[in-house]
Amino acid sequence: MRIAALFLLAGFCLNAQTSIGVRVLFGLTDTADTKWDGSATARSGHIAEVEPWRFEGSDAIRAVDSWTASTHEVRLFGGRGLFGAQAAIPHVANGVILCLDNASENTEIDVKTAQGDFTIRLRDVPYGKPVNALNNRVIVDRIPPFVQLTNSPEEQDYPAAVVDKSGNVWMAYLEFRHNKDHDRLRANLRAAPSDFSQYKTPTGGDQILVIKISGGKPGEPIAITAPGGDLYRPAIAIDGTGRPWVFWSQNEKGNFDLWARVIDNGKPGPSVRLTKEAGSDIDPVAATDSQGRVWVAWQGWRNGKASIFAATQNRNSFSAPAAVSASGGDEWNPAIAADGSGRVTVAWDSYRNGDYDIYMRTATSGSWDKENPAAASAHYEAYPSIAYDSAGRLWMAYEEGGGRWGKDFGAYDTTGLALYQGRAVRLVGFDRDGRVLRPTADPGTVMPGVPALRAEARVRQSDAGQQWMTPDPQNSKTRPENSAARNVQAPKNTSPRLHIDSSGRIWLALRSAHPIWWNPIGTVWSEYVISYDGAQWTGPIFLSHSDNVLDNRPALVSPRAGELLVLGSADGRRQFHGIERFATPTGMDPSVPSDPFNNDLYANEITLGPATGAIGVNPGDSVAAAPARSDQPERTAVSNMRDYRKGNLRIVRGEFHRHSEISMDGGNDGTLLDQWRYAIDTGSLDWIGCCDHDNGGGREYTWWLIQKLTDIFYTPGKFSPMFNYERSVPYPEGHRNVIFAQRGIRTLPRLPITRPDESVPAPDTQMLYSYLKAFNGIVAAHTSGTIMGTDWRDNDPLVEPAVEIYQGDRQNYEMPDAPRSNSEHDSIGGWRPKGFIDLALEKGYKLSFEASSDHVSTHISYANIYATGLNREAVLDGFKKRHLYAATDNILADVSSGDHMMGDQFSTASAPTLQVKFTGTAPFAKVLVVKDGKYVYSIEPKTAQVDFSWRDMAPAPGKMSYYYVRGEQNNGELVWASPMWITYTGQ
């Protein structure tokens, strides 16, 4: 890793603000490409650098103070024409960022452009108050000065920081080192390799490093761990003797444990292991109490359940872990803060009530008080960040989402809300006696609102009201033909980071997708900061070089009153010109010689001056713990499925088709971590394959992160995540979801695609089958009747034993005119009728049925496997044996024929007989038997319990026929028992 050569923030540890950032956006009213070539000069200041804001095409910085640039159509996933869409795409602003030094409020900037000239007076552009120029064709706002802290091919991420008594900043972070061949291993192929072992070559692994920033300059990195580890998020705090303590999670023989190491006189001391119990210990947060002792809190998994633990420093060691949370639900995302009177508070979010609520607990002089709810309504409340003010009041920022988070959402049901259908950041305070406080001014009035295409849009979170927090069942019922359920229009403010400086000024950072912009590696999210001086809010303040994924949490520290340093990672995704030659409307061409995007660390500094007075507050409503949500029917149905046994087999519920922020088209899917929270808590799944297209376009760092989390959340016997990715190849070859039971298998690049009019096996698909055999994996096609599907030109029963018959985001691909099937008039994702599954079965393909979600959709599609146990090997074995079935609800299905069960192939001298057992979540309106693509039997049970036998009275001697059963409940929920292939050998 290289430290950036230049680091000097003028306001950092100095009195006078001499570095200033200004963002100038051109072409607000343009309706066609328009030239905005120009230059800038400063009076009473100096333009040190001009940076592009979102250049593309021939846009370029020509000199230190000039540029050529034009406005362009907004970059969106798919551009024109995806799924047949031809809607006009609006033109949006382009711009430059002017970096000034030796500047003051009296500085004036003269800007000359091809569309006219104007002058910017810095005194007229304070933080949070942009100004317009050239008849509203230009907008100018002040942004913080910034510097790049690291600049190397490695990935620097997850910064944590603390300030010592001398004003020095200590920053811990994780560095990932790439395999030297990572670009080549991602690149598309001209011929299939004869040896796939290269796709299991290791990475360079992780290392925890610390940088001390003193006098505005960084020192050399201090190695806390050796390189080549398998590590996760660090934390840092400074004890009463001035020694920094660094914490991190480390994979020790398959178990992630928590470690700590002190830095003494600039050198790391012995490593201290804090945990050794079975189960992952992750997400440490640390603070120092009034006696100078460091406290650390974290999430620890024990026997499949997550709790919050804490430990306290005792000189050079730590106490045994103590449980902070006490409930039967999973606890997540701890935050910690200490005041000056001996109190240490830990806050976290909990699923104990059947939705996410926030709880907190305070230790006073080392003794823990009882747990208290901090935000516990029927809404989604999570991701707290806490801080104490000088008056001893605790302040908490957190995310609030709508009710029924993660429940039923998809093309045919929107009685719940998907994972990222809106989010607001809330701020609440608690007096010493527990009374609830609110700031007199609503912070929502200065937070970004509903993300918009236009950067100049001044919508705010408070403008959105509350309606978006209530699920809309009519959404799915009124969706246009060929369209999925509509995404909710709502603010999407997430990942709050709260800090209160020594003057009492509140600083709050958050992430937003505003303004909407897309890059081939995914949606662009940015960091914004707002601040409260005790009387009024300032903001939103846009932070340059904060462009990254959604779950990106910078460190906030205040070296002095009225100043904030934001230390975060950015991957540069706002800049399209770095990838333009290798960009497609749906992602980055894997043949790009060198991935132009990687995580580096940046510092943004904001100076607003100390708070003007005490924090103005109003009394708030008291917080009571919400009663547990009434989901007993669902819990009973899940319990019945888990308890059911068929010989030595049990049913394990799951899916393997989810997306997150990592996907190039994951802008509405939410964070990678929220996919896991959904799977474990809201979905109550037993297994999952997660996530994303090639684990992020085949990029090594995102693949490594997804693989890591798949191990972190693995608890054999309780929850069994599989190593998974979506391998997307257009029709006629098809998108497929890949599963492995082992870690370390890289995603497979592509061969050239075959044409739809070629009736030949696809070389790329055949290569995929060989790769799966090399690493003992399996695959399933999805969305087969769309442009993402296949005409079934290929199948290998050894590695392709299943098909996604139903997809929560879209439709059923079983056969024409089946319930929820796509049609020529309503096919979400395009119409390709050769992809219906009955045509594959007609070809003799032996495919079992599963259902999964795809984008956005939640809680309405399940792949249920009959397995010998709940571990990776058993899940994979159940797939290979085709012992699985698909359902849109928690429906128990058991279809057998004598000693054989669904998925089996066998011969019989007796007329084939099916024994059908269904336990529904509502009465079945109809149950049908399908033989060789035709309905041969149906009943109308009108009961939730179905148990009958059916005999084929007209079997054809010597012929193998397939039989399967579909159940249709009176509430529209469906179940598909997988086929059996039976050869009748009688006469």
Side-chain angles (χ1 to χ4, degrees):
M1 185 212 67
R2 294 191 298 274
I3 297 296
L6 297 176
F7 178 87
L8 184 59
L9 285 175
F12 183 17
C13 303
L14 299 178
N15 287 324
Q17 181 181 4
T18 61
S19 292
I20 294 174
V22 175
R23 181 174 58 161
V24 184
L25 304 183
F26 309 113
L28 309 188
T29 60
D30 290 353
T31 57
D33 288 10
T34 304
K35 281 190 171 295
W36 286 90
D37 301 354
S39 63
T41 56
R43 286 177 275 155
S44 300
H46 171 250
I47 295 178
E49 185 178 6
V50 177
E51 281 204 350
W53 184 56
R54 50 187 193 190
F55 277 15
E56 58 181 289
S58 61
D59 302 341
I61 301 299
R62 293 302 182 193
V64 72
D65 59 358
S66 63
W67 59 88
T68 58
S70 299
T71 48
H72 310 280
E73 291 180 341
V74 65
R75 287 285 176 178
L76 300 173
F77 171 71
R80 296 181 191 270
L82 186 66
F83 304 146
Q86 296 294 331
I89 298 177
H91 281 69
V92 292
N94 199 350
V96 294
I97 292 172
L98 308 179
C99 307
L100 292 88
D101 57 21
N102 300 317
S104 70
E105 295 303 307
N106 295 320
T107 297
E108 296 184 350
I109 306 169
D110 295 318
V111 180
K112 296 182 178 180
T113 79
Q115 302 300 316
D117 305 339
F118 56 94
T119 296
I120 303 167
R121 299 172 180 84
L122 291 186
R123 73 176 74 90
D124 297 334
V125 194
Y127 282 120
K129 295 184 178 179
V131 298
N132 292 88
L134 293 184
N135 295 319
N136 296 322
R137 298 184 69 191
V138 173
I139 192 168
V140 178
D141 64 337
R142 183 175 295 198
I143 65 172
F146 54 86
V147 293
Q148 186 172 355
L149 298 177
T150 63
N151 180 15
S152 75
E154 290 78 42
E155 311 269 353
Q156 293 86 32
D157 209 351
Y158 301 118
V162 66
V163 177
D164 66 21
K165 292 180 180 179
S166 300
N168 302 309
V169 175
W170 295 81
M171 179 181 66
Y173 60 96
L174 182 148
E175 178 172 281
F176 169 76
R177 297 187 180 182
H178 288 283
N179 180 293
K180 62 182 178 61
D181 293 323
H182 73 103
D183 283 318
R184 179 184 62 79
L185 292 170
R186 189 192 67 248
N188 281 342
L189 303 168
R190 295 182 179 178
S194 58
D195 179 5
F196 291 94
S197 60
Q198 62 181 321
Y199 295 109
K200 203 177 179 181
T201 54
T203 71
D206 302 320
Q207 185 175 23
I208 302 297
L209 300 168
V210 170
I211 292 175
K212 179 184 178 182
I213 304 170
S214 181
K217 297 180 180 179
E220 288 299 313
I222 301 169
I224 302 300
T225 68
D230 186 10
L231 315 175
Y232 198 44
R233 297 177 184 266
I236 189 168
I238 295 176
D239 68 18
T241 65
R243 300 181 304 169
W245 280 89
V246 185
F247 305 89
W248 69 96
S249 298
Q250 181 169 315
N251 188 345
E252 293 286 329
K253 298 179 180 178
N255 197 69
F256 279 81
D257 287 311
L258 193 66
W259 289 76
R261 198 171 189 185
V262 70
I263 300 174
D264 201 346
N265 293 319
K267 296 182 179 179
S271 295
V272 179
R273 187 172 185 172
L274 275 65
T275 64
K276 57 183 178 181
E277 294 79 10
S280 295
D281 294 279
I282 59 170
D283 291 344
V285 289
T288 305
D289 68 15
S290 58
Q291 298 179 37
R293 297 178 301 175
V294 170
W295 292 61
V296 59
W298 67 94
Q299 182 194 52
W301 289 85
R302 303 291 181 267
N303 196 30
K305 180 193 172 299
S307 299
I308 304 301
F309 295 91
T312 311
Q313 176 202 0
N314 181 12
R315 297 184 180 178
N316 292 322
S317 63
F318 280 80
S319 65
V324 179
S325 60
S327 85
D330 288 322
E331 324 284 355
W332 300 79
N333 196 70
I336 194 169
D339 74 354
S341 66
R343 293 185 299 166
V344 176
T345 297
V346 177
W348 66 93
D349 49 79
S350 171
Y351 204 73
R352 66 185 68 184
N353 297 320
D355 61 14
Y356 285 110
D357 298 317
I358 297 173
Y359 283 78
M360 59 184 179
R361 194 175 183 188
T362 299
T364 303
S365 300
S367 178
W368 287 102
D369 300 334
K370 65 181 181 67
E371 289 179 309
N372 288 298
S377 73
H379 288 166
Y380 167 98
E381 292 136 333
Y383 293 100
S385 179
I386 59 176
Y388 275 101
D389 66 17
S390 58
R393 294 176 294 199
L394 180 73
W395 290 90
M396 176 185 295
Y398 62 93
E399 292 182 16
E400 183 180 29
R404 290 184 54 77
W405 182 89
K407 294 302 183 182
D408 298 12
F409 192 94
Y412 290 88
D413 191 345
T414 50
T415 54
L417 285 173
L419 308 188
Y420 189 50
Q421 292 295 295
R423 208 75 100 244
V425 169
R426 307 299 188 195
L427 180 65
V428 62
F430 300 91
D431 218 336
R432 283 180 172 270
D433 59 6
R435 288 179 299 168
V436 179
L437 307 171
R438 301 283 180 181
T440 53
D442 176 12
T445 60
V446 292
M447 293 183 193
V450 180
L453 295 176
R454 300 194 176 280
E456 69 273 17
R458 300 187 187 183
V459 292
R460 297 292 177 253
Q461 176 180 291
S462 57
D463 299 334
Q466 302 290 317
Q467 184 62 36
W468 61 270
M469 292 190 176
T470 302
D472 178 14
Q474 296 302 311
N475 183 346
S476 58
K477 297 175 182 178
T478 58
R479 66 172 180 85
E481 290 182 343
N482 304 308
S483 298
R486 294 177 292 274
N487 288 299
V488 176
Q489 294 301 299
K492 293 189 174 181
N493 296 328
T494 61
S495 302
R497 313 299 286 166
L498 182 66
H499 182 79
I500 301 177
D501 69 24
S502 59
S503 73
R505 178 179 279 278
I506 294 178
W507 302 90
L508 178 56
L510 56 96
R511 291 193 78 68
S512 172
H514 179 77
I516 295 169
W517 188 251
W518 180 79
N519 179 289
I521 64 171
T523 294
V524 178
W525 286 276
S526 302
E527 200 75 19
Y528 291 83
V529 170
I530 65 172
S531 185
Y532 190 53
D533 66 3
Q536 63 181 3
W537 287 96
T538 298
I541 302 170
F542 170 83
L543 270 58
S544 187
H545 294 294
S546 64
D547 45 334
N548 211 319
V549 295
L550 174 58
D551 186 11
N552 183 269
R553 311 179 205 179
L556 275 57
V557 293
S558 179
R560 289 191 325 186
E563 296 177 3
L564 181 73
L565 197 64
V566 183
L567 303 164
S569 65
D571 62 12
R573 63 180 55 202
R574 192 182 323 280
Q575 301 307 326
F576 197 86
H577 62 283
I579 189 62
E580 193 159 8
R581 282 182 53 214
F582 298 94
T584 74
T586 56
M588 182 171 71
D589 186 335
S591 63
V592 58
S594 177
D595 188 343
F597 304 104
N598 81 308
N599 283 274
D600 287 308
L601 297 174
Y602 288 81
N604 282 261
E605 186 189 29
I606 307 172
T607 301
L608 290 175
T612 57
I615 298 173
V617 297
N618 291 324
D621 296 333
S622 60
V623 179
R629 194 176 59 211
S630 179
D631 58 357
Q632 186 60 45
E634 178 180 348
R635 287 188 281 125
T636 298
V638 171
S639 179
N640 288 340
M641 294 177 70
R642 286 176 173 162
D643 292 343
Y644 190 78
R645 294 295 182 269
K646 185 177 181 67
N648 69 336
L649 302 178
R650 58 178 292 183
I651 299 173
V652 293
R653 301 164 51 258
E655 66 154 306
F656 63 121
H657 190 183
R658 294 209 61 78
H659 292 273
S660 76
E661 61 192 318
I662 302 299
S663 282
M664 76 287 187
D665 53 352
N668 291 306
D669 287 303
T671 68
L672 181 59
L673 277 175
D674 274 354
Q675 311 308 312
W676 292 102
R677 290 160 67 110
Y678 160 73
I680 294 169
D681 287 336
T682 317
S684 194
L685 302 182
D686 301 312
W687 71 276
I688 194 171
C690 181
C691 296
D692 296 302
H693 297 281
D694 293 279
N695 293 153
R699 304 175 72 231
E700 188 178 46
Y701 181 54
T702 52
W703 167 79
W704 174 251
L705 175 60
I706 289 170
Q707 294 256 311
K708 185 195 306 286
L709 291 175
T710 304
D711 261 355
I712 282 175
F713 294 118
Y714 182 37
T715 304
K718 298 292 183 178
F719 182 63
S720 183
M722 308 295 285
F723 298 101
N724 154 260
Y725 67 94
E726 177 180 341
R727 190 171 187 272
S728 303
V729 180
Y731 186 88
E733 297 180 14
H735 292 207
R736 286 173 167 87
N737 295 313
V738 176
I739 279 185
F740 295 108
Q742 59 176 313
R743 184 173 176 180
I745 311 303
R746 294 174 182 265
T747 60
L748 181 67
R750 311 293 190 268
L751 288 172
I753 192 171
T754 51
R755 298 193 313 270
D757 59 356
E758 291 181 284
S759 297
V760 296
D764 181 75
T765 309
Q766 296 299 316
M767 177 181 68
L768 171 63
Y769 295 153
S770 297
Y771 156 87
L772 294 168
K773 291 173 182 175
F775 298 119
N776 194 27
I778 61 102
V779 72
H782 73 78
T783 337
S784 55
T786 72
I787 66 171
M788 297 162 280
T790 176
D791 61 5
W792 301 112
R793 59 186 56 201
D794 295 287
N795 176 257
D796 188 321
L798 293 178
V799 292
E800 191 168 19
V803 62
E804 186 180 288
I805 193 169
Y806 178 77
Q807 183 186 103
D809 187 44
R810 295 184 177 92
Q811 292 164 306
N812 172 17
Y813 304 99
E814 174 190 1
M815 62 170 69
D817 301 319
R820 302 192 187 185
S821 278
N822 64 329
S823 68
E824 184 177 5
H825 302 292
D826 182 19
S827 187
I828 306 169
W831 171 241
R832 296 293 185 274
K834 290 183 179 180
F836 276 115
I837 294 165
D838 65 334
L839 299 179
L841 297 175
E842 184 179 311
K843 284 189 168 189
Y845 294 176
K846 295 173 180 60
L847 298 169
S848 56
F849 300 153
E850 54 92 5
S852 290
S853 293
D854 204 356
H855 289 285
V856 181
S857 174
T858 48
H859 207 252
I860 57 173
S861 46
Y862 301 97
N864 303 304
I865 304 170
Y866 277 89
T868 56
L870 185 47
N871 56 68
R872 288 172 175 158
E873 293 73 21
V875 169
L876 185 65
D877 183 63
F879 258 112
K880 287 188 170 185
K881 291 177 177 175
R882 301 189 296 266
H883 290 168
L884 64 157
Y885 69 93
T888 65
D889 203 355
N890 296 306
I891 301 170
L892 194 158
D894 180 357
V895 177
S896 57
S897 180
D899 294 333
H900 299 280
M901 63 181 297
M902 48 188 153
D904 286 348
Q905 176 185 347
F906 61 94
S907 299
T908 177
S910 302
T913 301
L914 305 185
Q915 292 86 40
V916 180
K917 294 181 181 180
F918 287 165
T919 300
T921 55
F924 282 92
K926 187 182 296 184
V927 176
L928 306 101
V929 177
V930 177
K931 174 188 176 183
D932 293 338
K934 294 180 172 55
Y935 298 116
V936 293
Y937 181 74
S938 68
I939 60 171
E940 299 180 0
K942 300 181 181 178
T943 61
Q945 295 285 338
V946 174
D947 189 344
F948 70 90
S949 294
W950 172 81
R951 175 173 292 180
D952 185 357
M953 302 306 294
K959 179 184 178 183
M960 183 174 65
S961 294
Y962 70 85
Y963 302 80
Y964 70 87
V965 183
R966 182 176 74 227
E968 304 173 14
Q969 294 187 167
N970 63 9
N971 61 359
E973 303 295 352
L974 303 169
V975 61
W976 297 263
S978 290
M980 286 181 279
W981 289 264
I982 305 173
T983 300
Y984 176 55
T985 59
Q987 298 301 317

